[in-house]
Amino acid sequence: MMLSGADVIIECLKEQGVDIVFGYPGGQALIIYDALYKARNEITHILTSHEQGASHAADGYARATGKVGVCIATSGPGATNLVTGIATAYMDSVPMVAITGQVPTNLLGKDSFQEVDITGITMPITKHNFIVKDVTQLADTMRKAFAIAREGRPGPVLVDVCKDVTAAMVEYTPKKPEKTDYVSNKYHDISNSAIEEAINAINNAERPVILSGAGVGIASAEEYVRSIAEMADIPVSTSLMGMGTFPGTHQLFMGMVGMHGTKTSNYAFHNSDLVIAIGNRFSDRIVSKVSSFAQKAKIMHIDIDGAEIGKNLNVDYPLVGDVKKILKAIQAGIIKKKNPEWINRINKWKEEYPLRYTYSKDIIRPQYIVERIYELTKGEALITTEVGQHQMWAAQYYKYSRFRQFISSGGLGTMGYGLGACIGAQLARPDKKVINIAGDGSFRMNLNELATAVEYKLPIIIALFNNRALGMVRQWQELFFDSRFSQTSIDRGTDFAALANAFGAKGINVTSPEQVDSAIISALAETNTPVLLNFAIDKDDKVSPIVPPGAALCDVVDC
């Protein structure tokens, strides 16, 4: 059948099972949007307040479902406004396809109105990107974009389409998508000898620990991590992005490891004789001082991305490939045993160094808010976060039972991420209550997306931890810069509850601990209205414990 390029884009989206896209129209994307209008009964378009909000919403949708998130923008500033969201998805291995309009081919390279080289700009922050100048290549390019976004280590792909290509007519032949899940044929089997070495290392270890990263969840390999841990009696920690890949209530769970990890996790890694790292990248926030990381341990690193093996740490047992397949092979050779001496040591640290804070009848403690959210949602909510102190409290004090329950910007640390992601996650999972735990500094950056949540009647909850400061930066200034609080006070008198009401949402001020439960319960009862809970917290509350910059994990201290 003969179709316009814009109609081909829409048909390719339908081929890929896309039922929702996020975006903002503009001149070079007009023909695409006209095609979207004609397909409005098959693909829902969510009009965000800003293109960055669209990219974060597509990201949140993808993280909540595992599907490819899709966002659309016009050329120039529309495309560049997607950049932060694309980089966020790239750092956290999130499958996304960003479609941008571009000036007509005859105007390329002439500094035309709203022309930017978006493929050049995004080359370092995408798995791949394309500029389409020939309509006959459009369908195959769209199909490749989705395949690349999904396969192996997921990530964002950008497709830049010239306006004349969207208008041109071409013969379109429908095509059933090829299966491109987590693993493609290029990921070869691990040798039997490498698997045997890994099995022997685990069976012979006396003080093993598991580090479960997001790659475990992406590979749907959680059951194998749990099985191996239980069979070999191995304590487990997660990375920030790996939250939920091991149950937060499990007796072998030690909590997060790294800069704001538990003392138990950090001490366990420091004293371990085998670190089994699965689907993580050994970021600086986990490793801290490289020369001091797990000095007594051999390192086993299992990941689908060979580029991560040995990038930050020397590895004794490298295993590159399908995480689920590798773990299944390892599990088959594990000898069931108990490690009473090691587990007793772990449990002693848990008793001696639990996450703790002092409850106050007069001041709302942020840790208490997270605990009450956990209890009142029965641990079933999807939690998105902005970036800062509140993000760490959300990671520390909510017990995640499954992957895709904690949605946060880990690698890039994008302030302003959470509200857009919350919108995307709620649209993806209307069966779940989705709560964005935010700081007032981050929330200010993209609060305009409240209008989007109101328009689409999304019952999201924004739990705003309002300390009138850039809390994490202020904490560092106090601890490491002799309390020189340079530009971290944002006590501007903004009434966030009134602001929410002005957008058409429901705003509630919470000023004392006794109001916390009733406010949360009221918010949970809403079914088609966003609710902002403005919690007044103290600017001197700190995330604790912390590994000071440049220190070893064993040097973790309380604040």
Side-chain angles (χ1 to χ4, degrees), residues 68-383:
V68 178
V70 180
C71 55
I72 303 174
T74 190
S75 64
T80 58
N81 282 342
L82 295 178
V83 168
T84 297
I86 292 170
T88 301
Y90 181 74
M91 289 291 282
D92 289 344
S93 304
V94 178
M96 177 194 293
V97 170
I99 302 167
T100 52
Q102 182 56 277
V103 300
T105 53
N106 67 320
L107 294 179
L108 285 171
K110 298 182 178 181
D111 292 333
S112 305
F113 178 66
Q114 290 193 334
E115 179 192 2
V116 296
D117 178 10
I118 194 62
T119 54
I121 290 169
T122 60
M123 189 175 294
I125 56 168
T126 51
K127 280 188 74 177
H128 198 80
N129 61 29
F130 303 88
I131 181 168
V132 184
K133 305 176 187 178
D134 181 349
V135 73
T136 63
Q137 297 177 3
L138 181 56
D140 284 344
T141 300
M142 289 295 297
R143 291 162 182 154
K144 286 178 187 176
F146 277 86
I148 292 168
R150 275 194 297 258
E151 65 94 18
R153 181 179 181 175
V157 178
L158 179 133
V159 182
D160 193 35
V161 188
C162 292
K163 188 173 185 178
D164 54 319
V165 171
T166 65
M169 302 301 291
V170 69
E171 181 68 29
Y172 166 77
T173 303
K175 186 176 180 182
K176 187 175 181 179
E178 296 179 9
K179 184 176 174 60
T180 52
D181 291 329
Y182 173 66
V183 181
S184 71
N185 291 331
K186 75 177 184 178
Y187 297 100
H188 302 294
D189 290 341
I190 302 294
S191 69
N192 289 334
S193 61
I195 293 292
E196 285 299 321
E197 279 191 57
I199 291 170
N200 290 333
I202 295 171
N203 286 337
N204 293 324
E206 297 179 354
R207 302 182 309 280
V209 293
I210 290 175
L211 170 55
S212 185
V216 170
I218 293 168
S220 300
E222 299 96 321
E223 65 177 294
Y224 292 103
V225 172
R226 181 169 180 169
S227 177
I228 291 169
E230 290 176 345
M231 288 174 68
D233 211 17
I234 304 174
V236 179
S237 295
T238 68
S239 63
L240 180 70
M241 293 290 93
M243 283 289 169
T245 57
F246 195 81
T249 55
H250 198 286
Q251 61 185 3
L252 289 172
F253 186 59
M254 299 185 290
M256 190 167 60
V257 67
M259 177 173 283
H260 294 297
T262 63
K263 284 189 174 182
T264 299
S265 286
N266 288 356
Y267 290 160
F269 275 72
H270 185 71
N271 289 279
S272 169
D273 65 353
L274 177 66
V275 172
I276 306 161
I278 312 167
N280 85 293
R281 57 190 178 84
F282 281 125
S283 78
D284 55 298
R285 289 297 171 103
I286 285 178
V287 172
S288 195
K289 187 177 181 180
V290 174
S291 62
S292 299
F293 180 81
Q295 288 177 301
K296 305 169 188 175
K298 296 286 188 180
I299 307 294
M300 183 183 300
H301 195 175
I302 305 170
D303 204 283
I304 198 165
D305 187 355
E308 291 297 342
I309 308 294
K311 185 176 80 174
N312 295 329
L313 285 177
N314 292 326
V315 175
D316 300 284
Y317 305 101
L319 296 165
V320 181
D322 179 351
V323 167
K324 188 174 184 177
K325 189 173 183 179
I326 292 170
L327 290 178
K328 184 178 181 180
I330 289 173
Q331 180 204 43
I334 294 296
I335 298 172
K336 191 168 185 177
K337 64 176 181 178
K338 292 292 183 182
N339 289 323
E341 185 177 339
W342 181 229
I343 295 300
N344 287 341
R345 196 172 176 188
I346 297 293
N347 289 337
K348 185 178 178 181
W349 283 328
K350 285 183 180 180
E351 292 173 7
E352 192 172 352
Y353 307 114
L355 290 171
R356 57 164 65 96
Y357 67 94
T358 303
Y359 175 79
S360 169
K361 292 182 179 180
D362 303 313
I363 300 172
I364 304 176
R365 303 301 305 276
Q367 303 92 333
Y368 176 72
I369 301 170
V370 178
E371 285 185 339
R372 297 313 301 152
I373 290 173
Y374 173 75
E375 292 295 334
L376 293 169
T377 61
K378 297 180 172 60
E380 287 297 317
L382 267 64
I383 303 296

